[in-house]
Amino acid sequence: MEQEEGDVLRRQLRIIEALLFASTEPLRAADMAPYLGEGANVTKLLKALQAEYAERGVNLVRRGDGWVFRTAEDLGFLLRREEHETRPLSRAALETLSIIAYHQPATRAEIEEVRGVATGKGTLDLLMEAGWVRMRGRRRTPGRPVTYGTTEAFLDHFGLETLGDLPGLEDLKGAGLLSGRLPADLQIPLPFTGELREDEDPLDPSDLGDPEPVDEES
Amino acid sequence: MEQEEGDVLRRQLRIIEALLFASTEPLRAADMAPYLGEGANVTKLLKALQAEYAERGVNLVRRGDGWVFRTAEDLGFLLRREEHETRPLSRAALETLSIIAYHQPATRAEIEEVRGVATGKGTLDLLMEAGWVRMRGRRRTPGRPVTYGTTEAFLDHFGLETLGDLPGLEDLKGAGLLSGRLPADLQIPLPFTGELREDEDPLDPSDLGDPEPVDEES
Amino acid sequence: MTSAQTDWFDTPAPPPADEVLHVDVDGYEGPLDLLLDLARRQKVDLSGISILALAEQYLAFIEKVRERRIEVAADYLVMAAWLAYLKSRLMVPQAASDDEPSGEMLAAMLQFRLKRLEAMREAANRLMNRPRLGFQVYARGMPEPIEIARSAIWEASLYDLLKAYSSQRERGVVAEYAPKLRTVWSLQDARDILLRLIGDSVEWVPLDRILAEYLAKPSERATVRASTFASSLELVRQGEVEIRQGETFGPLLMRRRRKDTP
């Protein structure tokens, strides 16, 4: 009886192994379930397979909801090919990508607030074209702006299992640098960020262009 | 001493494993030797690796002079060659689909007006076959043309919760998909999400078999 | 109020004497980027930076740029105005009745924004230094055709769809494109205006000063310069005016030619 169960398990492992090995893209548990017969615990099988490959030259890694075989990271320097990126990312695109990754879901206005500059044409659409960024939905605020987030292909490209693996994420959170808005006691936007909060008045016109102190009350 | 030798061997096995996995063509022993350091017995390593994979879902097999990973033969049922490969949607189909999405309910004449070219019947058929477009009803205008709309499967495929999630004019501009220099009166319609609009009649019973009166077109 | 004894008033870091700032804003991606770069030059941790000194450096930088008549985008000027305001808030003790945000708060906020931008920049670096797919990590080189049950035979992404929609809507627009009408000075107009402005002056006067009132409008600047320059060459040929330029790219000097000289 036990022997039989072991055989079924072995066969199921071989099937998901074959499916995953054959594919270049991550596969979800749901993609593989139909091949396994009823009652198969795909997640458990995946964990078992991952353990079997942990020490090999090829590893089974998780990418968001998907699973995929990739060459082991520590062999990277050996396998490194002299390939060049077809289009290296501009600094603007890189910054935008990391802001979206760390602040998602982020609206365009929020991205611009962090960078302090308007997002040029060809930045967001380039990142979407590369398949790293996608429109996620809309923010429930006036104007219902579209929100952006990263894709599974982003995780795969940068070798991250989940967004929680983003480098330095915890430190940045701890330092309060990832709050979408400024810390509560610091919510005074700079002029170029747009709106003022309702409890504020705009600067007087005379403030602009006059570098001298304008305080008359004191 | 033996321990050390075992480590070296293990590492060499991992390297050829990764090389074979990532290669786009079968590799010969001579192709792999440069990665292994001097004195490595590549043939012996390959035999060892082959033995390790013998019972797995993927096997290491010889193809002429080269070596390659292949799905185990008894799992061949998993492989189905070239039958149902997914194909990218043609530009005409994408354009038609996007107009239907934004302008629904839209008649064929309205789609053609936006596109500026005649829409082949094949395009609409294809979109309906894909399950993304459906006939909604008939416009209450002379000729009672059929109106088209999108389906649940459309929302599902494109990751939208509702049609209201389709980005609007400002969002498209913000994403760099629309240039800033557009006439002020350019409008992007809000897709109608309800069942039937007041200018629509339900489909005739006879419509269900025959998508649209056959007419001649270029 | 204790504003006089805060970090922001700590001795401003001496401006790096050996480093000459490039007087050009083209290399910067907006005022925040420029500020961060200035802060970096202080070579201290952003937490310990003197915002007052930073504001002064920024204002000095923008002043220098404008002296050289390099056009500065409005963003930079708005930031300059805000920093001038911030400076005033930092230097004047705050009245108790004052409802406006204190200088310290404004400075802390600017510091927060600089830190956040720097953090994102570092994050981008760390991302790019990870073992990336296709660079250090590889996918199966020879995928085998395994049919995974998919709901659709046709592949298209939301991005494809939106791009298709946007580009055809834009196509429709291009068909209705009407060229923007621009004011252009004819050579005859330019000649008349130039002669009127020079009058009988026999002093050397820079062309830009002669044309000052017309050069104020950015939209007309190019045509005013081009047309008057072309006309002035014709006037020289006719013996009406004289032109001189001291050095390459130096100002063009112009005067009425004295009639009595041969």
Side-chain angles (χ1 to χ4, degrees):
Chain A
M1 205 55 182
E2 242 171 56
Q3 171 67 35
E4 212 170 281
E5 249 175 57
D7 282 354
V8 171
L9 204 70
R10 194 70 239 154
R11 185 176 159 78
Q12 288 177 334
L13 273 177
R14 291 182 72 232
I15 289 174
I16 62 167
E17 186 179 30
L19 288 170
L20 286 163
F21 221 89
S23 171
T24 52
E25 309 281 319
L27 299 179
R28 287 150 191 258
D31 295 331
M32 292 178 270
Y35 295 91
L36 295 171
E38 295 211 356
N41 185 337
V42 189
T43 312
K44 211 172 125 189
L45 288 166
L46 285 164
K47 296 261 182 212
L49 196 63
Q50 187 177 38
E52 285 185 15
Y53 274 89
E55 302 296 320
R56 308 202 71 102
V58 174
N59 302 146
L60 182 58
V61 293
R62 191 155 76 88
R63 296 288 178 253
D65 290 334
W67 293 77
V68 67
F69 275 115
R70 294 284 181 247
T71 57
E73 282 188 10
D74 66 307
L75 299 178
F77 73 98
L78 246 178
L79 305 181
R80 178 166 211 136
R81 288 174 202 154
E82 288 309 311
E83 259 176 70
H84 291 286
E85 259 169 297
T86 41
R87 235 192 326 178
L89 286 180
S90 67
R91 190 154 68 92
L94 265 174
E95 272 175 34
T96 304
L97 178 63
S98 64
I99 292 166
I100 292 173
Y102 285 80
H103 287 81
Q104 63 188 300
T107 65
R108 179 162 172 253
E110 287 159 1
I111 297 165
E112 293 182 347
E113 200 211 55
V114 176
R115 298 196 63 227
V117 65
T119 304
K121 190 168 156 52
T123 303
L124 277 168
D125 59 336
L126 186 142
L127 291 171
M128 284 196 282
E129 202 172 4
W132 291 343
V133 162
R134 68 190 172 96
M135 291 179 170
R136 292 168 46 101
R138 288 171 180 274
R139 174 68 46 81
R140 249 183 245 111
T141 53
R144 304 188 70 236
V146 162
T147 53
Y148 295 89
T150 52
T151 62
E152 217 162 76
F154 165 83
L155 294 178
D156 196 19
H157 186 90
F158 293 100
L160 304 163
E161 293 216 331
T162 68
L163 287 174
D165 296 333
L166 282 169
L169 186 66
E170 287 311 312
D171 293 344
L172 291 172
K173 256 191 207 160
L177 290 170
L178 293 186
S179 52
R181 307 251 111 226
L182 299 174
D185 55 334
L186 291 179
Q187 284 210 1
I188 307 103
L190 290 179
F192 57 84
T193 66
E195 331 94 306
L196 293 157
R197 241 170 38 152
E198 67 267 43
D199 60 342
E200 276 179 290
D201 283 331
L203 296 177
D204 293 339
S206 62
D207 293 336
L208 307 173
D210 182 6
E212 295 311 310
V214 289
D215 201 330
E216 280 142 75
E217 285 176 60
S218 50
Chain B
M1 209 50 185
E2 240 170 60
Q3 171 67 34
E4 212 169 282
E5 248 173 58
D7 283 353
V8 170
L9 202 69
R10 195 70 244 154
R11 184 178 159 79
Q12 289 175 333
L13 277 176
R14 293 180 74 228
I15 291 170
I16 61 170
E17 191 177 27
L19 285 170
L20 285 164
F21 173 85
S23 171
T24 53
E25 52 195 47
L27 291 179
R28 291 167 304 151
D31 297 328
M32 291 177 269
Y35 292 90
L36 296 171
E38 294 206 3
N41 185 336
V42 189
T43 311
K44 208 173 125 194
L45 286 166
L46 283 163
K47 294 270 182 206
L49 199 62
Q50 189 176 36
E52 284 185 15
Y53 274 90
E55 299 298 318
R56 308 202 70 101
V58 175
N59 303 146
L60 183 58
V61 295
R62 266 194 99 120
R63 291 281 181 267
D65 289 343
W67 292 79
V68 65
F69 276 119
R70 280 281 173 248
T71 304
E73 274 190 19
D74 66 307
L75 298 178
F77 70 93
L78 294 172
L79 305 178
R80 261 195 272 162
R81 284 169 217 287
E82 322 278 330
E83 274 172 35
H84 286 296
E85 236 184 321
T86 56
R87 273 184 286 169
L89 212 55
S90 72
R91 203 182 73 164
L94 264 175
E95 290 183 1
T96 305
L97 178 61
S98 67
I99 293 167
I100 293 173
Y102 274 97
H103 297 250
Q104 62 187 297
T107 66
R108 196 158 121 190
E110 287 161 356
I111 297 166
E112 291 179 350
E113 199 192 303
V114 179
R115 283 198 69 208
V117 285
T119 299
K121 188 158 172 305
T123 306
L124 278 167
D125 283 347
L126 183 148
L127 291 171
M128 285 199 280
E129 235 171 274
W132 291 340
V133 163
R134 67 188 172 97
M135 295 191 287
R136 296 171 42 96
R138 286 183 176 274
R139 177 70 47 81
R140 240 179 260 134
T141 52
R144 302 186 67 240
V146 167
T147 52
Y148 294 90
T150 52
T151 61
E152 290 281 320
F154 166 84
L155 294 178
D156 197 39
H157 181 92
F158 291 99
L160 301 164
E161 264 180 42
T162 71
L163 286 173
D165 285 346
L166 280 172
L169 181 66
E170 286 309 314
D171 300 314
L172 290 174
K173 271 193 206 161
L177 288 165
L178 277 178
S179 72
R181 124 187 118 64
L182 293 168
D185 59 350
L186 181 91
Q187 300 241 325
I188 286 190
L190 282 175
F192 175 76
T193 56
E195 211 32 63
L196 280 176
R197 217 164 57 174
E198 64 269 32
D199 62 351
E200 273 183 298
D201 282 334
L203 289 173
D204 299 338
S206 63
D207 289 335
L208 300 173
D210 182 12
E212 207 176 346
V214 183
D215 52 1
E216 301 311 312
E217 59 179 306
S218 46
Chain C
M1 295 265 89
T2 58
S3 55
Q5 296 301 323
T6 66
D7 292 351
W8 317 115
F9 284 89
D10 284 353
T11 43
D18 52 336
E19 260 180 295
V20 182
L21 293 183
H22 304 283
V23 183
D24 184 3
V25 284
D26 280 351
Y28 292 103
E29 296 223 9
L32 209 56
D33 186 26
L34 168 55
L35 268 168
L36 188 55
D37 185 46
L38 290 172
R40 286 274 123 257
R41 288 163 196 262
Q42 295 193 17
K43 294 190 176 92
V44 290
D45 186 73
L46 275 184
S47 311
I49 206 160
S50 160
I51 293 289
L52 187 60
L54 191 59
E56 271 163 5
Q57 283 178 33
Y58 182 94
L59 292 171
F61 179 85
I62 292 296
E63 200 41 50
K64 217 162 165 188
V65 170
R66 298 187 74 191
E67 265 169 29
R68 301 254 182 127
R69 291 170 181 268
I70 295 171
E71 302 208 4
V72 185
D75 274 359
Y76 290 89
L77 299 181
V78 174
M79 177 62 102
W82 187 83
L83 286 174
Y85 170 74
L86 169 63
K87 220 176 98 179
S88 74
R89 304 285 309 175
L90 285 173
M91 297 195 334
V92 175
Q94 186 148 7
S97 61
D98 195 344
D99 282 343
E100 286 187 52
S102 69
E104 291 76 23
M105 258 169 91
L106 295 174
M109 194 201 56
L110 177 60
Q111 191 187 38
F112 172 82
R113 294 193 51 153
L114 290 172
K115 270 191 196 166
R116 187 171 60 177
L117 180 60
E118 192 184 46
M120 284 301 107
R121 220 162 256 182
E122 248 166 49
N125 260 335
R126 286 161 83 171
L127 269 182
M128 294 311 278
N129 285 329
R130 287 187 60 81
R132 290 162 60 201
L133 186 64
F135 296 89
Q136 290 91 13
V137 170
Y138 296 92
R140 176 80 189 270
M142 273 179 290
E144 294 175 79
I146 281 191
E147 161 82 354
I148 293 297
R150 291 195 201 276
S151 46
I153 307 169
W154 299 99
E155 265 306 315
S157 70
L158 182 60
Y159 174 72
D160 296 333
L161 188 76
L162 299 176
K163 195 167 172 150
Y165 184 69
S166 304
S167 57
Q168 59 188 328
R169 289 307 301 274
E170 280 202 321
R171 247 192 348 252
V173 168
V174 172
E176 295 154 23
Y177 175 76
K180 210 164 66 181
L181 286 178
R182 304 174 67 167
T183 323
V184 175
W185 280 23
S186 71
L187 290 185
Q188 187 57 48
D189 290 349
R191 181 196 152 98
D192 294 348
I193 291 171
L194 198 56
L195 279 178
R196 179 167 56 78
L197 290 176
I198 293 182
D200 290 327
S201 158
V202 289
E203 297 296 312
W204 288 109
V205 181
L207 180 60
D208 275 6
R209 198 190 304 160
I210 298 174
L211 295 169
E213 67 173 291
Y214 295 98
L215 290 174
K217 268 198 207 158
S219 59
E220 288 179 15
R221 217 169 276 166
T223 181
V224 166
R225 283 220 177 91
S227 297
T228 46
F229 178 64
S231 303
S232 66
L233 294 181
E234 178 65 12
L235 288 171
V236 170
R237 198 181 63 82
Q238 292 171 356
E240 297 279 348
V241 299
E242 288 175 314
I243 299 182
R244 197 173 78 180
Q245 186 176 28
E247 54 177 328
T248 316
F249 298 122
L252 275 181
L253 303 175
M254 214 172 273
R255 69 174 178 189
R256 174 75 74 169
R257 185 165 176 192
R258 270 179 235 152
K259 292 294 178 199
D260 48 82
T261 48

